Amino acid sequence: MSDTTAGLLQLGLLLVALAVAYKPLGDYMARVFSSEKHSKVEKGLYKLFRVNPESEQRWPTYAAGVLGFSFVSVVLLYLLQRLQPLLPWDLGRGAVSPGVAFNTAISFVTNTNWQSYVPETTMGHFVQMAGLTVQNFLSAAVGLSVAIALTRGFIRSQADRLGNFWVDLTRGTIRVLLPMAFVFSLVLIALGVVQSLKAGVAVTNPDGTSSTIALAPAASQEAIKELGTNGGGIFNANSAHPFENPNYWTNLVELFLILVIPVSLTRTFGQLVGNRKQGYVLLSVMGLLWGLMLAVTWISEAKAGGMEGKEQRFGTSLTSIFADTTTGTSTGAVNGAHDSLSALGGGGPLLNMLFGEISPGGVGTGLYGMLVMAIIAMFLAGLMVGRTPEYLGKKLGKREVTCAAVAMLAMPTVVLLGSALALMFPATESALGNGGAHGLSEVLYAYASTGNNNGSAFGGLTATSDWFQSSLGVAMAFGRYIPIIAVLCLAGSLAAQRKVPETSGTLPTTGPLFGTMLTGTVVLVAALTFIPALALGPIAEALA
């Protein structure tokens, strides 16, 4: 079977699987977050942590819950790493250094999963499971909760409550992520992914010498790593490692897991707002952007024809699909080295992140990111026709547009300032694997990845210095929480409004006109913001 045929076959199977899961999963999540009933397990957790599940929260309280929970999570995960020698299953790997522990704690709590360490020589199994894997669930559930809170802002009228963060967090974890991760862990084990608590296995090399191959509970980590759009590998080679991703079938399952919740959330949104077409138009824009960037990457790699940095098992086609999917979401997992992609091939994944990772984006973050862009699009349309913009029956005034603008501009600010400051330091040159335009792309990619909470890396940048550990950690935190606060403020403002009826002057938001306008807004914002930087990086390299 040719490389292209294998890619087209896997792409077709992926799209069919997503289409089959779209309705049932989307409707199920809508029921999960609109139900008034609590399970026995949930009631026990509420009682243990003294949470009143019937009490709803105003947006500042909801935001305080997100920030407080995340802060405590960072502290606990940092301590787990620093105290690793005192914990079981440490495998003799010692305490994680302060800089790496700081960077990793922020990375996993913000759903970034940027890794500036070698997992199989740095983290013991206990820290992997009780620390990193737990955050894979919880960080994804936080993003999901924020998306649902914003959806409630559109649904509710003259209200000052957005729900209860602790209830949303609990339901997202227990009712959505845990059961799906459990099932697909078994699927991955059945397909050949390793699941072991041993430190490693001794093997004899062809020359007669012996060495040890690291083992880990990879299947359980892999399922939630992809399902929660996390991306941090339990092995350094990530999904290019044969223990994490051994064959075509596991590659297909992992691609499906990355996309299934972000895609299905558009159905959830349509169900909750009472108009499924609203979800369909968001999905069509997400799919169009994902498809365009896939075409750019795939065609560029096919023309380049190089296999350096790519797995022989997957070739250029499956590497292109994976690269496009993992950067179109906030996953960051890789089955090949992005630094080895051609100039335009690497520009596709980079541009995915610079769009704001909304094609289709991460768990929750993709939906609320696309809704922010929809509000900006409607505001621009209102300016053109000279009337107050509306979206889903809510007027978009100064407060709403300001919140949307802050959420939209936080990432570009983090990416461009971080990249500029890094390039000012003479020491950065020695950290680059390449010079010239490609070297600039490595730095830009690093801050785009962390500022968007993606976590993938070009691979040519050595980001182990104190500067990179600290600055990339700050980029992750700002890139995650500034938009969340702005989105929750937006949700509170929308919920407080009274719904206005549609009139003959209301711009329809369920047809191709709005879809085209939304797509144009996404592309225009990214172009105006990043074209100068892209011109000095991947564009200059492609034209050289």
Side-chain angles (χ1 to χ4, degrees):
M1 184 183 297
S2 70
D3 180 78
T4 301
T5 302
L8 290 173
L9 179 59
Q10 184 144 130
L11 180 61
L13 290 173
L14 174 63
L15 295 177
V16 169
L18 291 172
V20 170
Y22 181 71
K23 182 179 184 296
L25 181 57
D27 291 351
Y28 171 72
M29 289 191 289
R31 292 193 298 272
V32 164
F33 291 105
S34 59
S35 173
E36 296 181 358
K37 296 180 179 180
H38 310 288
S39 70
K40 291 183 178 180
V41 174
E42 292 166 352
K43 289 178 180 177
L45 290 173
Y46 299 146
K47 185 176 181 180
L48 177 64
F49 293 105
R50 303 180 66 180
V51 171
N52 178 6
E54 309 304 328
S55 174
E56 294 202 348
Q57 299 167 330
R58 297 171 60 248
W59 83 261
T61 308
Y62 201 104
V66 172
L67 296 177
F69 177 75
S70 299
F71 176 76
V72 171
S73 296
V74 168
V75 172
L76 291 178
L77 185 51
Y78 177 84
L79 292 175
L80 276 177
Q81 296 173 82
R82 296 290 292 140
L83 299 175
Q84 180 167 249
L86 306 178
L87 301 173
W89 287 322
D90 67 303
L91 309 180
R93 290 172 183 170
V96 180
S97 66
V100 172
F102 166 78
N103 185 281
T104 303
I106 292 180
S107 177
F108 277 76
V109 172
T110 58
N111 199 247
T112 310
N113 302 81
W114 172 276
Q115 294 173 289
S116 57
Y117 60 92
V118 178
E120 55 263 53
T121 62
T122 305
M123 301 292 182
H125 293 339
F126 186 85
V127 173
Q128 285 277 12
M129 294 185 294
L132 306 185
T133 304
V134 167
Q135 286 306 318
N136 282 350
F137 282 96
L138 297 178
S139 63
V142 168
L144 188 55
S145 300
V146 174
I148 295 300
L150 178 57
T151 303
R152 292 192 185 112
F154 288 108
I155 298 169
R156 298 185 175 183
S157 179
Q158 295 181 299
D160 63 348
R161 298 292 191 272
L162 295 176
N164 188 309
F165 168 67
W166 307 108
V167 172
D168 293 337
L169 179 72
T170 302
R171 289 185 176 184
T173 303
I174 291 179
R175 299 194 192 184
V176 179
L177 296 170
L178 267 174
M180 292 183 69
F182 177 77
V183 170
F184 280 99
S185 294
L186 299 179
V187 171
L188 290 173
I189 291 173
L191 292 173
V193 177
V194 168
Q195 182 75 8
S196 174
L197 291 177
K198 294 181 179 180
V201 58
V203 297
T204 301
N205 300 318
D207 60 0
T209 61
S210 62
S211 58
T212 300
I213 298 177
L215 295 175
S220 56
Q221 170 80 5
E222 196 72 17
I224 187 57
K225 156 192 158 183
E226 312 294 20
L227 184 67
T229 58
N230 295 284
I234 203 164
F235 297 107
N236 193 43
N238 206 280
S239 288
H241 197 292
F243 286 177
E244 285 195 34
N245 188 10
N247 52 58
Y248 280 3
W249 288 109
T250 55
N251 196 70
L252 176 61
V253 170
E254 291 179 23
L255 286 169
F256 172 77
L257 289 176
I258 292 171
L259 292 168
V260 67
I261 292 181
V263 165
S264 299
L265 272 174
T266 60
R267 170 81 181 193
T268 302
F269 177 75
Q271 286 287 86
L272 291 176
V273 299
N275 187 342
R276 294 172 189 165
K277 291 182 179 180
Q278 298 291 348
Y280 296 155
V281 73
L282 298 181
L283 178 62
S284 66
V285 175
M286 292 174 174
L288 177 62
L289 293 172
W290 179 82
L292 287 174
M293 289 303 101
L294 175 58
V296 169
T297 305
W298 195 336
I299 293 172
S300 299
E301 290 308 301
K303 287 185 176 181
M307 283 298 294
E308 188 270 330
K310 303 178 182 68
E311 267 294 307
Q312 295 291 332
R313 290 169 295 141
F314 304 130
T316 58
S317 297
L318 300 188
T319 302
S320 299
I321 297 172
F322 209 100
D324 180 58
T325 298
T326 196
T327 53
T329 60
S330 64
T331 309
V334 295
N335 72 352
H338 289 187
D339 191 47
S340 297
L341 298 175
S342 61
L344 289 181
L350 177 58
L351 195 54
N352 265 335
M353 293 187 292
L354 299 181
F355 281 151
E357 289 188 329
I358 51 178
S359 55
V363 172
T365 60
L367 178 60
Y368 69 66
M370 184 59 81
L371 289 172
V372 164
M373 296 306 299
I375 288 173
I376 297 296
M378 293 303 293
F379 172 67
L380 295 176
L383 290 179
M384 288 188 286
V385 299
R387 59 172 289 152
T388 302
E390 301 169 8
Y391 185 53
L392 298 179
K394 298 297 179 75
K395 289 188 176 294
L396 306 177
K398 178 181 177 181
R399 183 181 178 88
E400 291 77 22
V401 174
T402 299
C403 290
V406 170
M408 178 188 68
L409 294 174
M411 180 273 292
T413 302
V414 167
V415 173
L416 294 177
L417 280 180
S419 300
L421 289 173
L423 291 168
M424 288 172 59
F425 287 101
T428 298
E429 184 175 356
S430 62
L432 298 176
N434 298 274
H438 195 85
L440 187 146
S441 295
E442 289 177 354
V443 175
L444 183 63
Y445 192 103
Y447 285 94
S449 177
T450 51
N452 277 289
N453 305 128
N454 181 273
S456 65
F458 251 26
L461 177 68
T462 303
T464 54
S465 67
D466 289 342
W467 159 256
F468 279 116
Q469 296 282 17
S470 302
S471 64
L472 294 174
V474 171
M476 295 176 213
F478 284 1
R480 173 76 163 182
Y481 297 113
I482 291 177
I484 281 180
I485 294 171
V487 165
L488 290 174
C489 178
L490 171 63
S493 181
L494 292 171
Q497 290 187 37
R498 182 179 60 188
K499 279 204 168 189
V500 297
E502 290 188 8
T503 66
S504 58
T506 302
L507 176 66
T509 55
T510 56
L513 175 61
F514 176 69
T516 302
M517 186 171 64
L518 179 54
T519 304
T521 301
V522 172
V523 174
L524 181 64
V525 168
L528 291 177
T529 307
F530 293 111
I531 278 294
L534 292 172
L536 295 173
I539 295 176
E541 184 181 1
L543 295 176

